[in-house]
Amino acid sequence: MENKSLPQLLLVSGACCSPNMVKLDQVLEKNLDQALKDLGIHPEVRKESLSAIINGGGDLTAIQREQIMSLFQAYGAKFTPAFLIGDELRFAGKPPSVDQLKEVLQEVVTLLP
């Protein structure tokens, strides 16, 4: 499948705040790698730590920062790992399965011109 200017994929890691979340991050990364491989697409994927975002880093859009900070204020680091496609939060709190990721990625690919 051709890469048609897919939106950026953003993974938000909470491992900086809670080391036991490392495994959840690893599951998300593994599942995302497999979903992208299965679909044959190669979008830009960024990973940002929650602590960097809280401290004003991360080079996020205003919408991404607002969503993440809102979730952090409501749930603390428990909303991580989180997965955004462009400015849209797609999953938070637990890693999605390969099939769930493929479904949302396929939706995005289908909507591209």
Side-chain angles (χ1 to χ4, degrees), residues 44-112:
E44 178 185 357
V45 179
R46 290 183 45 225
K47 182 176 179 181
E48 295 291 343
S49 71
L50 181 57
S51 64
I53 295 167
I54 291 169
N55 292 310
D59 193 30
L60 305 178
T61 67
I63 294 169
Q64 289 171 332
R65 184 172 305 285
E66 182 180 317
Q67 289 180 64
I68 292 166
M69 293 308 295
S70 178
L71 285 168
F72 176 70
Q73 290 167 353
Y75 303 105
K78 293 179 185 174
F79 80 91
T80 61
F83 176 70
L84 292 88
I85 299 176
D87 285 339
E88 187 176 351
L89 179 69
R90 298 306 297 247
F91 297 100
K94 68 177 188 174
S97 69
V98 173
D99 288 338
Q100 289 173 311
L101 287 163
K102 285 169 53 174
E103 184 177 321
V104 297
L105 291 166
Q106 190 64 51
E107 282 175 25
V108 171
V109 169
T110 302
L111 294 174
L112 292 174

Short mmCIF file of all heavy atoms in Angstrom, two decimals, residues 44-112:
data_model
loop_
_atom_site.label_atom_id
_atom_site.label_comp_id
_atom_site.label_asym_id
_atom_site.label_seq_id
_atom_site.Cartn_x
_atom_site.Cartn_y
_atom_site.Cartn_z
N GLU A 44 5.06 8.47 9.58
CA GLU A 44 5.93 8.95 10.64
C GLU A 44 5.31 8.55 11.97
O GLU A 44 4.11 8.76 12.21
CB GLU A 44 6.05 10.48 10.58
CG GLU A 44 6.90 11.04 11.70
CD GLU A 44 6.93 12.57 11.74
OE1 GLU A 44 6.32 13.21 10.86
OE2 GLU A 44 7.54 13.10 12.66
N VAL A 45 6.12 7.94 12.84
CA VAL A 45 5.66 7.55 14.17
C VAL A 45 6.57 8.24 15.19
O VAL A 45 7.78 8.12 15.12
CB VAL A 45 5.73 6.02 14.37
CG1 VAL A 45 5.27 5.64 15.78
CG2 VAL A 45 4.90 5.28 13.32
N ARG A 46 5.94 8.97 16.09
CA ARG A 46 6.70 9.63 17.17
C ARG A 46 6.26 9.08 18.50
O ARG A 46 5.11 8.71 18.68
CB ARG A 46 6.42 11.14 17.15
CG ARG A 46 7.04 11.84 15.98
CD ARG A 46 6.84 13.34 16.00
NE ARG A 46 7.07 13.93 17.29
CZ ARG A 46 6.26 14.83 17.85
NH1 ARG A 46 5.17 15.23 17.25
NH2 ARG A 46 6.54 15.34 19.03
N LYS A 47 7.20 9.06 19.43
CA LYS A 47 6.89 8.65 20.80
C LYS A 47 7.33 9.77 21.72
O LYS A 47 8.44 10.27 21.60
CB LYS A 47 7.63 7.36 21.15
CG LYS A 47 7.31 6.85 22.54
CD LYS A 47 8.00 5.52 22.81
CE LYS A 47 7.69 5.02 24.20
NZ LYS A 47 8.37 3.75 24.48
N GLU A 48 6.41 10.18 22.59
CA GLU A 48 6.70 11.25 23.54
C GLU A 48 6.39 10.75 24.94
O GLU A 48 5.41 10.04 25.16
CB GLU A 48 5.84 12.48 23.26
CG GLU A 48 6.12 13.14 21.93
CD GLU A 48 7.48 13.82 21.85
OE1 GLU A 48 8.11 14.07 22.91
OE2 GLU A 48 7.91 14.10 20.73
N SER A 49 7.22 11.16 25.88
CA SER A 49 6.97 10.80 27.27
C SER A 49 5.99 11.79 27.88
O SER A 49 5.98 12.98 27.53
CB SER A 49 8.26 10.78 28.09
OG SER A 49 8.73 12.10 28.29
N LEU A 50 5.18 11.31 28.77
CA LEU A 50 4.21 12.16 29.44
C LEU A 50 4.91 13.28 30.21
O LEU A 50 4.45 14.42 30.18
CB LEU A 50 3.33 11.32 30.37
CG LEU A 50 2.24 12.05 31.13
CD1 LEU A 50 1.31 12.79 30.18
CD2 LEU A 50 1.46 11.07 31.99
N SER A 51 6.04 12.97 30.84
CA SER A 51 6.73 14.02 31.60
C SER A 51 7.22 15.14 30.68
O SER A 51 7.15 16.31 31.04
CB SER A 51 7.88 13.45 32.42
OG SER A 51 8.88 12.90 31.60
N ALA A 52 7.71 14.81 29.49
CA ALA A 52 8.15 15.85 28.55
C ALA A 52 6.97 16.71 28.14
O ALA A 52 7.09 17.95 28.06
CB ALA A 52 8.79 15.22 27.32
N ILE A 53 5.82 16.10 27.91
CA ILE A 53 4.63 16.85 27.51
C ILE A 53 4.16 17.77 28.64
O ILE A 53 3.86 18.94 28.42
CB ILE A 53 3.51 15.89 27.07
CG1 ILE A 53 3.95 15.14 25.80
CG2 ILE A 53 2.20 16.64 26.84
CD1 ILE A 53 3.07 13.97 25.44
N ILE A 54 4.13 17.24 29.86
CA ILE A 54 3.70 18.03 31.02
C ILE A 54 4.61 19.24 31.21
O ILE A 54 4.16 20.32 31.57
CB ILE A 54 3.69 17.16 32.30
CG1 ILE A 54 2.57 16.12 32.20
CG2 ILE A 54 3.55 18.00 33.55
CD1 ILE A 54 2.64 15.05 33.25
N ASN A 55 5.89 19.05 30.92
CA ASN A 55 6.86 20.13 31.10
C ASN A 55 6.99 21.03 29.88
O ASN A 55 7.96 21.77 29.75
CB ASN A 55 8.22 19.55 31.50
CG ASN A 55 8.16 18.96 32.90
OD1 ASN A 55 7.70 19.60 33.83
ND2 ASN A 55 8.60 17.72 33.04
N GLY A 56 6.03 20.95 28.96
CA GLY A 56 5.98 21.86 27.83
C GLY A 56 6.73 21.41 26.60
O GLY A 56 6.79 22.12 25.61
N GLY A 57 7.32 20.24 26.63
CA GLY A 57 8.05 19.73 25.47
C GLY A 57 7.15 18.90 24.58
O GLY A 57 5.94 18.89 24.70
N GLY A 58 7.79 18.19 23.68
CA GLY A 58 7.06 17.25 22.85
C GLY A 58 6.66 17.75 21.48
O GLY A 58 6.23 16.97 20.67
N ASP A 59 6.78 19.03 21.22
CA ASP A 59 6.47 19.57 19.91
C ASP A 59 5.12 19.06 19.39
O ASP A 59 5.01 18.52 18.30
CB ASP A 59 7.60 19.23 18.92
CG ASP A 59 7.48 20.02 17.63
OD1 ASP A 59 6.96 21.15 17.67
OD2 ASP A 59 7.90 19.51 16.57
N LEU A 60 4.09 19.21 20.22
CA LEU A 60 2.75 18.76 19.88
C LEU A 60 1.92 19.91 19.32
O LEU A 60 2.22 21.07 19.57
CB LEU A 60 2.04 18.22 21.13
CG LEU A 60 2.72 17.12 21.91
CD1 LEU A 60 1.89 16.76 23.13
CD2 LEU A 60 2.96 15.90 21.06
N THR A 61 0.86 19.55 18.62
CA THR A 61 -0.09 20.57 18.21
C THR A 61 -0.88 20.99 19.45
O THR A 61 -0.92 20.27 20.46
CB THR A 61 -1.07 20.06 17.13
OG1 THR A 61 -1.92 19.06 17.72
CG2 THR A 61 -0.34 19.48 15.92
N ALA A 62 -1.52 22.13 19.37
CA ALA A 62 -2.33 22.61 20.49
C ALA A 62 -3.44 21.62 20.83
O ALA A 62 -3.74 21.37 22.00
CB ALA A 62 -2.92 23.98 20.17
N ILE A 63 -4.03 21.02 19.82
CA ILE A 63 -5.11 20.05 20.04
C ILE A 63 -4.57 18.80 20.73
O ILE A 63 -5.19 18.30 21.68
CB ILE A 63 -5.80 19.68 18.70
CG1 ILE A 63 -6.51 20.91 18.14
CG2 ILE A 63 -6.78 18.52 18.89
CD1 ILE A 63 -7.01 20.75 16.72
N GLN A 64 -3.44 18.29 20.28
CA GLN A 64 -2.84 17.11 20.92
C GLN A 64 -2.53 17.41 22.38
O GLN A 64 -2.87 16.62 23.27
CB GLN A 64 -1.55 16.70 20.19
CG GLN A 64 -1.77 16.09 18.84
CD GLN A 64 -0.46 15.89 18.08
OE1 GLN A 64 0.52 16.60 18.29
NE2 GLN A 64 -0.46 14.91 17.19
N ARG A 65 -1.88 18.55 22.65
CA ARG A 65 -1.51 18.92 24.02
C ARG A 65 -2.76 19.04 24.89
O ARG A 65 -2.79 18.56 26.02
CB ARG A 65 -0.72 20.23 24.02
CG ARG A 65 -0.22 20.62 25.40
CD ARG A 65 0.72 21.81 25.36
NE ARG A 65 1.84 21.61 24.48
CZ ARG A 65 2.91 20.85 24.74
NH1 ARG A 65 2.98 20.19 25.87
NH2 ARG A 65 3.90 20.74 23.87
N GLU A 66 -3.80 19.67 24.38
CA GLU A 66 -5.04 19.85 25.15
C GLU A 66 -5.66 18.50 25.52
O GLU A 66 -6.07 18.28 26.66
CB GLU A 66 -6.03 20.67 24.33
CG GLU A 66 -7.32 20.96 25.04
CD GLU A 66 -8.27 21.77 24.17
OE1 GLU A 66 -7.82 22.74 23.53
OE2 GLU A 66 -9.47 21.42 24.15
N GLN A 67 -5.72 17.58 24.56
CA GLN A 67 -6.29 16.26 24.83
C GLN A 67 -5.48 15.51 25.88
O GLN A 67 -6.04 14.93 26.82
CB GLN A 67 -6.34 15.42 23.55
CG GLN A 67 -7.35 15.90 22.55
CD GLN A 67 -7.34 15.03 21.31
OE1 GLN A 67 -7.66 13.85 21.39
NE2 GLN A 67 -6.97 15.62 20.19
N ILE A 68 -4.18 15.53 25.73
CA ILE A 68 -3.31 14.80 26.65
C ILE A 68 -3.37 15.40 28.05
O ILE A 68 -3.50 14.68 29.04
CB ILE A 68 -1.87 14.75 26.11
CG1 ILE A 68 -1.84 13.86 24.85
CG2 ILE A 68 -0.90 14.23 27.17
CD1 ILE A 68 -0.59 13.98 24.03
N MET A 69 -3.30 16.71 28.16
CA MET A 69 -3.35 17.35 29.47
C MET A 69 -4.70 17.16 30.13
O MET A 69 -4.77 16.96 31.35
CB MET A 69 -3.00 18.84 29.35
CG MET A 69 -1.54 19.09 28.95
SD MET A 69 -0.32 18.23 29.98
CE MET A 69 -0.60 19.03 31.57
N SER A 70 -5.77 17.16 29.37
CA SER A 70 -7.09 16.91 29.91
C SER A 70 -7.18 15.49 30.50
O SER A 70 -7.69 15.30 31.60
CB SER A 70 -8.14 17.11 28.82
OG SER A 70 -9.42 16.84 29.31
N LEU A 71 -6.67 14.53 29.76
CA LEU A 71 -6.66 13.15 30.26
C LEU A 71 -5.77 13.02 31.49
O LEU A 71 -6.12 12.33 32.45
CB LEU A 71 -6.17 12.18 29.17
CG LEU A 71 -7.17 11.89 28.07
CD1 LEU A 71 -6.49 11.17 26.91
CD2 LEU A 71 -8.33 11.05 28.61
N PHE A 72 -4.61 13.68 31.47
CA PHE A 72 -3.70 13.61 32.61
C PHE A 72 -4.36 14.20 33.85
O PHE A 72 -4.28 13.63 34.94
CB PHE A 72 -2.39 14.33 32.29
CG PHE A 72 -1.46 14.37 33.47
CD1 PHE A 72 -0.85 13.20 33.92
CD2 PHE A 72 -1.21 15.55 34.14
CE1 PHE A 72 0.00 13.22 35.02
CE2 PHE A 72 -0.36 15.58 35.24
CZ PHE A 72 0.25 14.42 35.68
N GLN A 73 -5.04 15.34 33.70
CA GLN A 73 -5.70 15.96 34.84
C GLN A 73 -6.81 15.08 35.39
O GLN A 73 -7.05 15.06 36.60
CB GLN A 73 -6.22 17.34 34.46
CG GLN A 73 -5.09 18.33 34.23
CD GLN A 73 -5.52 19.61 33.55
OE1 GLN A 73 -6.67 19.75 33.11
NE2 GLN A 73 -4.60 20.56 33.45
N ALA A 74 -7.48 14.34 34.53
CA ALA A 74 -8.58 13.48 34.96
C ALA A 74 -8.10 12.15 35.53
O ALA A 74 -8.68 11.64 36.49
CB ALA A 74 -9.54 13.23 33.80
N TYR A 75 -7.06 11.58 34.94
CA TYR A 75 -6.68 10.20 35.28
C TYR A 75 -5.23 10.01 35.71
O TYR A 75 -4.83 8.89 36.00
CB TYR A 75 -6.93 9.27 34.08
CG TYR A 75 -8.35 9.31 33.60
CD1 TYR A 75 -8.69 9.98 32.43
CD2 TYR A 75 -9.37 8.69 34.32
CE1 TYR A 75 -10.00 10.03 31.99
CE2 TYR A 75 -10.68 8.74 33.89
CZ TYR A 75 -11.00 9.41 32.72
OH TYR A 75 -12.29 9.46 32.30
N GLY A 76 -4.44 11.05 35.72
CA GLY A 76 -3.02 10.89 35.99
C GLY A 76 -2.40 10.09 34.85
O GLY A 76 -2.90 10.09 33.73
N ALA A 77 -1.33 9.39 35.13
CA ALA A 77 -0.62 8.64 34.09
C ALA A 77 -1.39 7.39 33.66
O ALA A 77 -1.00 6.74 32.69
CB ALA A 77 0.77 8.25 34.58
N LYS A 78 -2.49 7.07 34.33
CA LYS A 78 -3.24 5.84 34.02
C LYS A 78 -3.85 5.83 32.63
O LYS A 78 -4.27 4.79 32.15
CB LYS A 78 -4.33 5.61 35.06
CG LYS A 78 -3.78 5.28 36.42
CD LYS A 78 -4.89 5.09 37.41
CE LYS A 78 -4.30 4.87 38.80
NZ LYS A 78 -5.33 4.82 39.81
N PHE A 79 -3.94 6.99 31.96
CA PHE A 79 -4.50 7.01 30.61
C PHE A 79 -3.48 6.54 29.57
O PHE A 79 -3.83 6.35 28.41
CB PHE A 79 -5.02 8.40 30.23
CG PHE A 79 -3.96 9.36 29.79
CD1 PHE A 79 -3.61 9.45 28.44
CD2 PHE A 79 -3.29 10.15 30.71
CE1 PHE A 79 -2.62 10.33 28.03
CE2 PHE A 79 -2.31 11.02 30.30
CZ PHE A 79 -1.97 11.11 28.96
N THR A 80 -2.24 6.36 29.98
CA THR A 80 -1.22 5.91 29.04
C THR A 80 -1.12 4.39 29.04
O THR A 80 -1.51 3.76 30.01
CB THR A 80 0.16 6.52 29.40
OG1 THR A 80 0.53 6.09 30.70
CG2 THR A 80 0.14 8.02 29.30
N PRO A 81 -0.65 3.80 27.98
CA PRO A 81 -0.20 4.44 26.77
C PRO A 81 -1.39 4.99 25.98
O PRO A 81 -2.49 4.47 26.05
CB PRO A 81 0.51 3.34 25.99
CG PRO A 81 -0.15 2.08 26.44
CD PRO A 81 -0.56 2.32 27.87
N ALA A 82 -1.12 6.05 25.24
CA ALA A 82 -2.13 6.65 24.39
C ALA A 82 -1.62 6.67 22.96
O ALA A 82 -0.42 6.72 22.72
CB ALA A 82 -2.45 8.06 24.86
N PHE A 83 -2.56 6.62 22.03
CA PHE A 83 -2.23 6.59 20.60
C PHE A 83 -3.08 7.61 19.87
O PHE A 83 -4.30 7.58 19.98
CB PHE A 83 -2.49 5.17 20.06
CG PHE A 83 -2.26 5.02 18.59
CD1 PHE A 83 -0.99 5.06 18.07
CD2 PHE A 83 -3.33 4.82 17.73
CE1 PHE A 83 -0.77 4.91 16.70
CE2 PHE A 83 -3.14 4.66 16.37
CZ PHE A 83 -1.85 4.71 15.85
N LEU A 84 -2.42 8.52 19.17
CA LEU A 84 -3.11 9.54 18.39
C LEU A 84 -2.74 9.40 16.93
O LEU A 84 -1.60 9.07 16.59
CB LEU A 84 -2.71 10.95 18.85
CG LEU A 84 -3.16 11.38 20.24
CD1 LEU A 84 -2.15 10.98 21.28
CD2 LEU A 84 -3.35 12.88 20.26
N ILE A 85 -3.72 9.65 16.08
CA ILE A 85 -3.49 9.73 14.64
C ILE A 85 -3.76 11.19 14.29
O ILE A 85 -4.90 11.66 14.40
CB ILE A 85 -4.41 8.80 13.85
CG1 ILE A 85 -4.16 7.35 14.24
CG2 ILE A 85 -4.19 9.01 12.35
CD1 ILE A 85 -5.08 6.34 13.57
N GLY A 86 -2.70 11.91 13.94
CA GLY A 86 -2.83 13.34 13.73
C GLY A 86 -3.26 13.98 15.05
O GLY A 86 -2.64 13.76 16.08
N ASP A 87 -4.34 14.72 15.03
CA ASP A 87 -4.85 15.37 16.24
C ASP A 87 -5.93 14.56 16.94
O ASP A 87 -6.54 15.03 17.89
CB ASP A 87 -5.42 16.76 15.89
CG ASP A 87 -4.34 17.78 15.63
OD1 ASP A 87 -3.19 17.58 16.08
OD2 ASP A 87 -4.64 18.79 14.98
N GLU A 88 -6.19 13.36 16.47
CA GLU A 88 -7.29 12.57 17.02
C GLU A 88 -6.79 11.46 17.95
O GLU A 88 -6.06 10.58 17.53
CB GLU A 88 -8.11 11.96 15.89
CG GLU A 88 -9.36 11.28 16.37
CD GLU A 88 -10.23 10.77 15.24
OE1 GLU A 88 -9.96 11.06 14.07
OE2 GLU A 88 -11.18 10.04 15.55
N LEU A 89 -7.23 11.53 19.20
CA LEU A 89 -6.92 10.48 20.16
C LEU A 89 -7.73 9.24 19.79
O LEU A 89 -8.96 9.31 19.70
CB LEU A 89 -7.28 10.94 21.57
CG LEU A 89 -7.04 9.92 22.68
CD1 LEU A 89 -5.55 9.70 22.88
CD2 LEU A 89 -7.68 10.41 23.97
N ARG A 90 -7.06 8.13 19.55
CA ARG A 90 -7.77 6.90 19.13
C ARG A 90 -7.84 5.86 20.23
O ARG A 90 -8.81 5.12 20.32
CB ARG A 90 -7.12 6.32 17.89
CG ARG A 90 -7.15 7.23 16.66
CD ARG A 90 -8.56 7.71 16.30
NE ARG A 90 -9.46 6.67 15.93
CZ ARG A 90 -9.98 6.47 14.74
NH1 ARG A 90 -9.68 7.28 13.76
NH2 ARG A 90 -10.80 5.48 14.51
N PHE A 91 -6.79 5.74 21.06
CA PHE A 91 -6.79 4.76 22.14
C PHE A 91 -6.07 5.36 23.34
O PHE A 91 -5.10 6.09 23.18
CB PHE A 91 -6.05 3.48 21.72
CG PHE A 91 -6.69 2.75 20.57
CD1 PHE A 91 -6.19 2.88 19.29
CD2 PHE A 91 -7.80 1.95 20.78
CE1 PHE A 91 -6.78 2.22 18.22
CE2 PHE A 91 -8.39 1.28 19.72
CZ PHE A 91 -7.88 1.42 18.44
N ALA A 92 -6.55 5.02 24.53
CA ALA A 92 -5.89 5.47 25.75
C ALA A 92 -6.17 4.47 26.87
O ALA A 92 -7.26 3.90 26.94
CB ALA A 92 -6.39 6.85 26.15
N GLY A 93 -5.18 4.26 27.71
CA GLY A 93 -5.35 3.44 28.90
C GLY A 93 -4.89 2.01 28.79
O GLY A 93 -4.51 1.41 29.78
N LYS A 94 -4.92 1.46 27.60
CA LYS A 94 -4.40 0.11 27.39
C LYS A 94 -4.03 -0.02 25.93
O LYS A 94 -4.61 0.64 25.06
CB LYS A 94 -5.38 -0.96 27.81
CG LYS A 94 -6.61 -1.06 26.95
CD LYS A 94 -7.49 -2.21 27.41
CE LYS A 94 -8.61 -2.42 26.41
NZ LYS A 94 -9.42 -3.58 26.71
N PRO A 95 -3.05 -0.87 25.65
CA PRO A 95 -2.63 -1.01 24.26
C PRO A 95 -3.71 -1.67 23.41
O PRO A 95 -4.28 -2.69 23.81
CB PRO A 95 -1.40 -1.91 24.33
CG PRO A 95 -1.04 -2.03 25.76
CD PRO A 95 -2.25 -1.67 26.55
N PRO A 96 -4.00 -1.10 22.25
CA PRO A 96 -4.95 -1.74 21.35
C PRO A 96 -4.33 -2.97 20.70
O PRO A 96 -3.10 -3.08 20.61
CB PRO A 96 -5.23 -0.66 20.30
CG PRO A 96 -4.03 0.22 20.34
CD PRO A 96 -3.51 0.17 21.75
N SER A 97 -5.17 -3.87 20.25
CA SER A 97 -4.69 -5.07 19.56
C SER A 97 -4.21 -4.70 18.16
O SER A 97 -4.51 -3.62 17.65
CB SER A 97 -5.80 -6.11 19.47
OG SER A 97 -6.80 -5.65 18.57
N VAL A 98 -3.52 -5.61 17.52
CA VAL A 98 -3.09 -5.42 16.14
C VAL A 98 -4.31 -5.17 15.26
O VAL A 98 -4.32 -4.25 14.43
CB VAL A 98 -2.28 -6.64 15.63
CG1 VAL A 98 -1.99 -6.51 14.14
CG2 VAL A 98 -0.99 -6.79 16.41
N ASP A 99 -5.36 -5.95 15.43
CA ASP A 99 -6.57 -5.80 14.61
C ASP A 99 -7.24 -4.44 14.84
O ASP A 99 -7.72 -3.82 13.89
CB ASP A 99 -7.56 -6.93 14.87
CG ASP A 99 -7.10 -8.25 14.28
OD1 ASP A 99 -6.26 -8.23 13.34
OD2 ASP A 99 -7.56 -9.30 14.75
N GLN A 100 -7.29 -3.97 16.08
CA GLN A 100 -7.87 -2.66 16.36
C GLN A 100 -7.07 -1.56 15.67
O GLN A 100 -7.63 -0.64 15.09
CB GLN A 100 -7.92 -2.39 17.86
CG GLN A 100 -8.94 -3.23 18.60
CD GLN A 100 -8.82 -3.05 20.10
OE1 GLN A 100 -7.73 -3.14 20.67
NE2 GLN A 100 -9.95 -2.81 20.75
N LEU A 101 -5.75 -1.67 15.73
CA LEU A 101 -4.89 -0.68 15.09
C LEU A 101 -5.06 -0.72 13.58
O LEU A 101 -5.16 0.33 12.94
CB LEU A 101 -3.43 -0.92 15.47
CG LEU A 101 -3.08 -0.51 16.90
CD1 LEU A 101 -1.77 -1.16 17.33
CD2 LEU A 101 -3.01 0.99 17.03
N LYS A 102 -5.11 -1.91 13.01
CA LYS A 102 -5.29 -2.03 11.58
C LYS A 102 -6.61 -1.39 11.14
O LYS A 102 -6.68 -0.71 10.11
CB LYS A 102 -5.22 -3.49 11.15
CG LYS A 102 -3.80 -4.03 11.14
CD LYS A 102 -3.68 -5.51 10.99
CE LYS A 102 -4.37 -6.15 9.84
NZ LYS A 102 -4.08 -7.59 9.71
N GLU A 103 -7.64 -1.58 11.94
CA GLU A 103 -8.95 -1.02 11.60
C GLU A 103 -8.91 0.51 11.55
O GLU A 103 -9.38 1.11 10.58
CB GLU A 103 -9.98 -1.49 12.63
CG GLU A 103 -11.38 -1.04 12.33
CD GLU A 103 -12.39 -1.58 13.33
OE1 GLU A 103 -12.26 -2.75 13.76
OE2 GLU A 103 -13.31 -0.82 13.68
N VAL A 104 -8.34 1.15 12.57
CA VAL A 104 -8.31 2.62 12.57
C VAL A 104 -7.34 3.17 11.52
O VAL A 104 -7.61 4.20 10.91
CB VAL A 104 -8.02 3.23 13.97
CG1 VAL A 104 -9.09 2.87 14.96
CG2 VAL A 104 -6.65 2.87 14.47
N LEU A 105 -6.25 2.47 11.30
CA LEU A 105 -5.30 2.91 10.27
C LEU A 105 -5.92 2.78 8.88
O LEU A 105 -5.74 3.64 8.03
CB LEU A 105 -4.00 2.14 10.37
CG LEU A 105 -3.15 2.44 11.61
CD1 LEU A 105 -2.06 1.39 11.80
CD2 LEU A 105 -2.55 3.84 11.52
N GLN A 106 -6.64 1.70 8.67
CA GLN A 106 -7.30 1.49 7.37
C GLN A 106 -8.35 2.58 7.12
O GLN A 106 -8.48 3.06 6.01
CB GLN A 106 -7.95 0.11 7.32
CG GLN A 106 -8.44 -0.27 5.94
CD GLN A 106 -7.31 -0.37 4.93
OE1 GLN A 106 -6.33 -1.05 5.15
NE2 GLN A 106 -7.46 0.30 3.81
N GLU A 107 -9.07 2.99 8.18
CA GLU A 107 -10.04 4.08 8.06
C GLU A 107 -9.35 5.34 7.55
O GLU A 107 -9.85 6.03 6.67
CB GLU A 107 -10.65 4.41 9.43
CG GLU A 107 -11.70 3.49 9.91
CD GLU A 107 -12.15 3.86 11.32
OE1 GLU A 107 -12.02 5.03 11.73
OE2 GLU A 107 -12.62 2.96 12.04
N VAL A 108 -8.20 5.65 8.13
CA VAL A 108 -7.46 6.86 7.77
C VAL A 108 -7.00 6.76 6.32
O VAL A 108 -7.13 7.71 5.55
CB VAL A 108 -6.27 7.09 8.72
CG1 VAL A 108 -5.38 8.21 8.21
CG2 VAL A 108 -6.77 7.39 10.12
N VAL A 109 -6.45 5.62 5.95
CA VAL A 109 -5.96 5.43 4.58
C VAL A 109 -7.09 5.56 3.58
O VAL A 109 -6.94 6.20 2.53
CB VAL A 109 -5.26 4.05 4.44
CG1 VAL A 109 -4.97 3.72 2.99
CG2 VAL A 109 -3.97 4.02 5.26
N THR A 110 -8.25 5.03 3.91
CA THR A 110 -9.41 5.08 3.03
C THR A 110 -9.88 6.52 2.81
O THR A 110 -10.35 6.87 1.73
CB THR A 110 -10.56 4.23 3.61
OG1 THR A 110 -10.09 2.90 3.77
CG2 THR A 110 -11.77 4.23 2.70
N LEU A 111 -9.74 7.38 3.81
CA LEU A 111 -10.21 8.75 3.71
C LEU A 111 -9.24 9.68 2.99
O LEU A 111 -9.59 10.81 2.65
CB LEU A 111 -10.47 9.32 5.12
CG LEU A 111 -11.61 8.65 5.88
CD1 LEU A 111 -11.67 9.20 7.31
CD2 LEU A 111 -12.94 8.85 5.16
N LEU A 112 -8.02 9.21 2.75
CA LEU A 112 -7.03 10.05 2.07
C LEU A 112 -7.38 10.23 0.60
O LEU A 112 -7.91 9.32 -0.02
CB LEU A 112 -5.64 9.42 2.18
CG LEU A 112 -5.03 9.40 3.59
CD1 LEU A 112 -3.73 8.62 3.56
CD2 LEU A 112 -4.81 10.80 4.12
#
